[in-house]
């Protein structure tokens, strides 16, 4: 019996191809929330891989949708600058923040300033520190999984994905552990527009983000007056290149580290459960051979692509495939599309946990802005699945997830599951 999914996909594809090409606009959060974005990107990759949208809720911008073109731009920070921000910001958001001091972070800086700030915090996620963190992450993963209900429906996003990432973030910041879910909440406040997630209004959004910055200003002052520690806030407070940074710059880096440490890992954890349920043969393969966890993690990061795009601003005119991107133009590198480019990745729409090159994906970015916490994300995903396979013969998704309403964070608000039994 058909569940109608094929019909829905066919209808979405027909709509994507019915729109005049010059009017095609992938920056529509509804398309992501309804999981109907795929045919839009398929068409752009085939017909107009360097595509200009003149009018959108995010202003005019270029869409780069093929793998190799994204790589070329991501690794060319001299021409494609991060200084104007790394996401497509809505015109409404810009209007709401007009006149407010900008909060730059090192991901929205160009070298050399980017390099010295990134270098200051990178020891927190260096291999030696990850080796020390691994047993702690494993212990916490076990506690989370052992507390899950058996035979009852629950929300995987809330009880597992959010909880593990909140615990890890609290450790990286040396944030009060009992308040760890504030980090998740603040991340959701930062990435959602009013009417979505926990955000009810622009005033509420500003107020609660202000509370976040107030808390982290307190942590800065505490660490500044204490001996240097191994957490990220202490590293920034004592770093030679960062200890005198402007307060708005510090808050920008807090925003980056909270969102970067939360959304990507949490949505890939949820995505792995969903993907394996959508592909039961791959789930069976994983259960039969747990050594495939490492490649499954990388395949999920590609298949999920937890951050759909990164944006840049051209600093000079640049020609690509016969199109001229002019100085000052905004450019969106659609990682989510590049990760489905069949000229580079074989059968990209399929979820294959034992791919020959599972780490061939764009999800962490490339060049100077490659995700600083990529190994930590992989570590958390690896550990949680090692512990899951030890405990549960099956995890069943019992309804479609609720997806995020965003053109940036590609993830899940809810994922209803049932665990029938323990091993």
């Amino acid at each position: 019996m058909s569940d109608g999914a094929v019909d829905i996909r066919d209808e979405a594809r027909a709509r994507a191809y019915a729109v005049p090409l010059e009017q095609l606009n992938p920056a529509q959060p509804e398309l992501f929330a309804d999981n109907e974005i795929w045919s839009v990107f398929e068409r752009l990759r085939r017909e107009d891989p360097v595509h200009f949208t003149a009018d959108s809720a995010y202003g005019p911008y270029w869409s780069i949708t093929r793998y190799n073109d994204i790589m070329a731009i991501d690794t060319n920070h001299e021409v494609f600058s991060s200084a104007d921000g790394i996401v497509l910001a809505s015109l409404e958001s810009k209007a709401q923040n007009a006149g407010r001091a900008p909060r730059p972070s090192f991901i929205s800086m160009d070298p050399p300033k980017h390099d010295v700030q990134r270098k200051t915090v990178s020891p927190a996620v260096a291999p030696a520190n990850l080796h020390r963190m691994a047993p702690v992450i494993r212990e916490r993963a076990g506690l989370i999984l052992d507390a899950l209900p058996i035979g009852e429906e629950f929300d995987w996003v809330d009880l597992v994905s959010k909880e593990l990432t909140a615990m890890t973030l609290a450790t990286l910041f040396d944030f009060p552990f009992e308040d760890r879910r504030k980090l998740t909440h603040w991340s959701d406040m930062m990435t959602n527009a009013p009417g979505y997630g926990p955000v009810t209004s622009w005033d509420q959004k500003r107020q609660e983000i202000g509370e976040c910055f107030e808390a982290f200003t307190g942590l800065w002052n505490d660490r500044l007056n204490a001996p240097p520690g191994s957490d990220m806030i202490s590293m920034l407070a004592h770093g030679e290149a960062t200890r005198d940074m402007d307060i708005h710059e510090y808050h920008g880096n807090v925003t980056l580290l909270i969102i970067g440490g939360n959304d990507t890992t949490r949505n890939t954890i949820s995505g792995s459960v969903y993907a394996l349920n959508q592909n039961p043969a791959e789930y069976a393969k994983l259960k039969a051979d747990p050594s495939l966890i490492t490649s499954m993690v990388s395949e999920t990061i590609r298949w999920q692509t937890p951050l759909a795009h990164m944006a840049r601003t051209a600093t000079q005119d640049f020609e690509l495939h016969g199109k001229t991107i002019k100085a000052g133009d905004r450019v969106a590198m659609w990682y989510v599309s590049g990760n489905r480019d069949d000229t580079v990745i074989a059968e990209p729409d399929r979820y294959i946990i034992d791919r020959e090159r599972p780490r061939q994906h764009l999800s962490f970015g490339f060049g100077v802005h490659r995700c600083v916490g990529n190994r930590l994300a992989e570590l958390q995903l690896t550990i949680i699945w090692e512990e899951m396979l030890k405990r549960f013969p099956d995890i069943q998704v019992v309804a479609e997830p609720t997806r995020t309403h965003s053109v940036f964070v590609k993830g899940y608000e809810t994922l209803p599951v049932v665990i029938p039994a323990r091993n």
Side-chain angles (χ1 to χ4, degrees):
M1 179 182 295
S2 172
D3 62 0
V6 173
D7 291 340
I8 292 170
R9 285 195 295 271
D10 287 345
E11 290 170 8
R13 192 169 192 274
R15 285 193 293 272
Y17 279 83
V19 176
L21 185 60
E22 65 274 11
Q23 296 177 20
L24 209 56
N25 171 26
Q28 298 183 62
E30 295 79 13
L31 293 176
F32 287 89
D34 295 337
N35 202 32
E36 293 188 358
I37 193 64
W38 304 108
S39 295
V40 174
F41 286 131
E42 174 193 82
R43 187 180 178 197
L44 288 178
R45 286 193 303 271
R46 290 179 178 180
E47 299 181 20
D48 198 15
V50 181
H51 175 77
F52 186 66
T53 298
D55 183 24
S56 82
Y58 304 87
Y61 69 97
W62 291 90
S63 286
I64 311 300
T65 51
R66 289 182 182 169
Y67 189 103
N68 289 327
D69 294 338
I70 292 169
M71 283 275 287
I73 287 176
D74 220 358
T75 55
N76 188 354
H77 63 268
E78 292 91 351
V79 174
F80 295 98
S81 169
S82 299
D84 289 337
I86 50 87
V87 300
L88 292 176
S90 71
L91 299 177
E92 184 181 11
S93 157
K94 290 178 180 178
Q96 289 288 334
N97 291 307
R100 298 176 183 274
R103 296 189 179 98
S105 64
F106 64 79
I107 200 172
S108 57
M109 296 175 185
D110 296 322
K113 192 172 185 179
H114 159 273
D115 299 346
V116 294
Q117 291 202 7
R118 179 186 172 106
K119 186 177 180 181
T120 299
V121 298
S122 58
V125 288
N129 203 42
L130 296 185
H131 181 73
R132 288 191 292 270
M133 287 180 67
V136 177
I137 295 172
R138 189 174 302 278
E139 179 184 8
R140 290 172 178 170
L143 292 172
I144 291 169
L145 297 175
D146 289 341
L148 296 177
I150 301 300
E152 300 175 16
E153 181 178 325
F154 67 93
D155 179 14
W156 184 269
V157 173
D158 183 39
L159 294 192
V160 182
S161 301
K162 286 184 177 181
E163 187 64 4
L164 182 65
T165 50
M167 287 180 171
T168 303
L169 261 184
T171 301
L172 287 172
F173 291 141
D174 193 16
F175 188 84
F177 198 70
E178 64 278 10
D179 293 332
R180 61 190 177 276
R181 289 299 285 267
K182 287 184 178 180
L183 298 170
T184 309
H185 178 74
W186 287 331
S187 181
D188 289 342
M189 293 301 301
M190 293 167 177
T191 57
N192 280 285
Y196 301 96
V199 185
T200 58
S201 68
W202 287 106
D203 286 342
Q204 178 228 11
K205 182 180 174 84
R206 279 190 289 268
Q207 178 185 336
E208 297 207 24
I209 293 175
E211 291 170 3
C212 168
F213 292 154
E214 184 178 348
F216 272 87
T217 299
L219 290 179
W220 173 281
N221 293 332
D222 290 344
R223 306 296 150 76
L224 195 62
N225 295 311
S230 59
D231 65 278
M232 283 184 163
I233 306 306
S234 183
M235 289 176 179
L236 288 170
H238 291 275
E240 184 177 349
T242 54
R243 62 192 176 203
D244 296 321
M245 69 166 58
D246 178 84
I247 189 66
H248 299 293
E249 201 169 289
Y250 169 58
H251 291 164
N253 279 308
V254 165
T255 301
L256 164 65
L257 296 171
I258 288 176
I259 295 173
N262 171 68
D263 280 299
T264 52
T265 306
R266 121 186 178 198
N267 287 314
T268 309
I269 292 172
S270 300
S272 64
V273 174
Y274 181 69
L276 288 165
N277 268 261
Q278 291 288 298
N279 299 272
E282 298 302 297
Y283 201 176
K285 194 188 295 182
L286 183 68
K287 294 172 188 175
D289 183 5
S291 71
L292 292 174
I293 288 175
T294 300
S295 60
M296 179 275 290
V297 164
S298 291
E299 173 69 346
T300 305
I301 292 168
R302 179 197 71 84
W303 184 88
Q304 178 61 35
T305 317
L307 296 180
H309 80 271
M310 284 284 173
R312 301 287 187 263
T313 301
T315 61
Q316 61 191 64
D317 290 2
F318 187 86
E319 186 167 313
L320 185 62
H321 296 307
K323 302 286 187 72
T324 300
I325 300 171
K326 294 188 176 298
D329 285 356
R330 292 288 279 165
V331 178
M333 301 177 291
W334 291 104
Y335 292 165
V336 65
S337 175
N339 279 339
R340 301 295 179 103
D341 185 345
D342 63 5
T343 67
V344 175
I345 300 170
E347 299 183 279
D349 292 325
R350 289 188 59 202
Y351 180 76
I352 306 170
I353 68 169
D354 53 355
R355 281 187 182 274
E356 185 176 348
R357 298 178 63 194
R359 298 193 72 190
Q360 183 185 29
H361 62 76
L362 295 163
S363 299
F364 292 131
F366 281 91
V368 298
H369 293 294
R370 183 169 172 82
C371 176
V372 70
N374 62 326
R375 297 299 188 188
L376 176 59
E378 292 171 337
L379 178 66
Q380 290 181 84
L381 284 152
T382 299
I383 288 174
I384 193 75
W385 267 101
E386 288 172 349
E387 298 305 311
M388 285 157 61
L389 290 180
K390 290 176 187 176
R391 288 166 170 79
F392 309 131
D394 198 23
I395 301 167
Q396 299 174 357
V397 174
V398 294
E400 273 294 294
T402 305
R403 294 177 172 85
T404 50
H405 186 269
S406 172
V407 301
F408 179 57
V409 175
K410 183 175 170 291
Y412 307 89
E413 295 292 333
T414 63
L415 181 65
V417 303
V418 169
I419 300 175
R422 294 187 187 276
N423 286 329

